[in-house]
Amino acid sequence: QEQLVESGGGVVQPGKSLRLSCVASGFTFSSYALHWVRQAPGKGLEWVAVTLYDGSNKYYADSVKGRFAISRDNSKNTLYLQMNSLRAEDTAVYYCARPITSHYYYYLDVWGEGTAVTVSS
Amino acid sequence: QSALTQPPSASGSPGQSVTISCTGTSSDVGGYNYVSWYQQHPGKAPKLMIYEVSKRPSGVPDRFSGSKSGNTASLTVSRLQVEDEADYYCSSYAGSNRYVFGRGTKVTVL
């Protein structure tokens, strides 16, 4: 069973840092691009970042570029999101997600349950 | 990277059809055939319903169909069922390895 499980969310003060993790199981982790998508309370989905299968290429939404860093450890089947200089508007549930097949970089077919991040003083 | 435009709400009675539009620009929806649609029930993770404009993943009923014309993509849900009541989001490739979602449409089954 293909599965993604996020962790690392919590309450953090503005300007501080937090690192999210996403552990995968049930599929060949190193074959897939992986994404982070977030959803602010009561709001829509927002794409955050993607890393390609080997971690050599990473791309970000303008809203997080320069503050967030996506990375992966294929030996541990784990995806990360390092979030620095956090702002109130980064408050959201953060999902990791995987494309429908390894052929695609997008079309997110496997999602985790999400981890909640609250940025507040 | 502006969000794609969707109507906030749509509704229909069981058995009827509802169509949701998703309007972007020539830099996203109109420029690529990389449009997808997601269904999200309250408190749940999104579920992929349509990809590459009109393809259905395995297990998605054929009541769900997608299309695109110019800068606007559409999702049609035919033969509406109570369980189709959810939020629906479109998404598109936006160039330079970036992606954009729509603002979401709440579908109500009357």
Side-chain angles (χ1 to χ4, degrees):
Chain A
Q1 176 186 358
E2 300 167 327
Q3 192 173 15
L4 298 168
V5 179
E6 304 95 337
S7 63
V11 180
V12 61
Q13 294 179 331
K16 300 295 187 180
S17 299
L18 202 62
R19 189 176 83 157
L20 306 183
S21 299
C22 171
V23 177
S25 59
F27 63 94
T28 305
F29 183 81
S30 59
S31 295
Y32 287 83
L34 290 165
H35 296 250
W36 287 100
V37 175
R38 68 184 181 183
Q39 186 169 33
K43 302 297 185 181
L45 301 170
E46 180 186 15
W47 176 77
V48 173
V50 60
T51 175
L52 302 191
Y53 70 101
D54 62 355
S56 60
N57 294 287
K58 306 166 188 181
Y59 304 97
Y60 300 91
D62 290 343
S63 58
V64 306
K65 198 169 186 178
R67 300 187 300 122
F68 288 13
I70 188 172
S71 63
R72 64 192 296 162
D73 185 338
N74 286 349
S75 69
K76 296 181 178 180
N77 285 2
T78 302
L79 176 72
Y80 302 100
L81 185 67
Q82 178 67 43
M83 304 186 294
N84 300 326
S85 304
L86 282 161
R87 307 167 179 167
E89 54 264 38
D90 296 319
T91 294
V93 173
Y94 285 74
Y95 296 100
C96 62
R98 191 210 80 180
I100 187 169
T101 73
S102 58
H103 170 72
Y104 291 107
Y105 289 161
Y106 196 50
Y107 306 135
L108 305 176
D109 190 43
V110 179
W111 294 70
E113 291 301 310
T115 187
V117 173
T118 301
V119 183
S120 173
S121 55
Chain B
Q1 275 180 300
S2 299
L4 306 175
T5 300
Q6 297 182 235
S9 62
S11 63
S13 299
Q16 291 185 331
S17 296
V18 64
T19 297
I20 304 166
S21 62
C22 169
T23 301
T25 69
S26 58
S27 297
D28 39 61
V29 174
Y32 310 94
N33 284 326
Y34 299 151
V35 175
S36 51
W37 290 89
Y38 298 84
Q39 177 192 65
Q40 188 181 33
H41 288 108
K44 299 294 187 181
K47 176 185 177 182
L48 180 66
M49 305 302 285
I50 295 288
Y51 68 101
E52 217 162 60
V53 177
S54 59
K55 296 181 179 179
R56 281 187 309 277
S58 174
V60 172
D62 62 4
R63 301 185 295 103
F64 291 85
S65 61
S67 62
K68 192 189 87 164
S69 178
N71 295 339
T72 299
S74 299
L75 173 72
T76 297
V77 186
S78 304
R79 304 186 301 279
L80 266 174
Q81 298 184 3
V82 172
E83 57 264 35
D84 299 333
E85 184 163 296
D87 293 326
Y88 290 83
Y89 295 91
C90 62
S91 184
S92 174
Y93 180 64
S96 302
N97 290 288
R98 296 177 302 174
Y99 305 87
V100 62
F101 282 96
R103 300 187 184 280
T105 298
K106 182 177 179 60
V107 170
T108 302
V109 180
L110 302 171

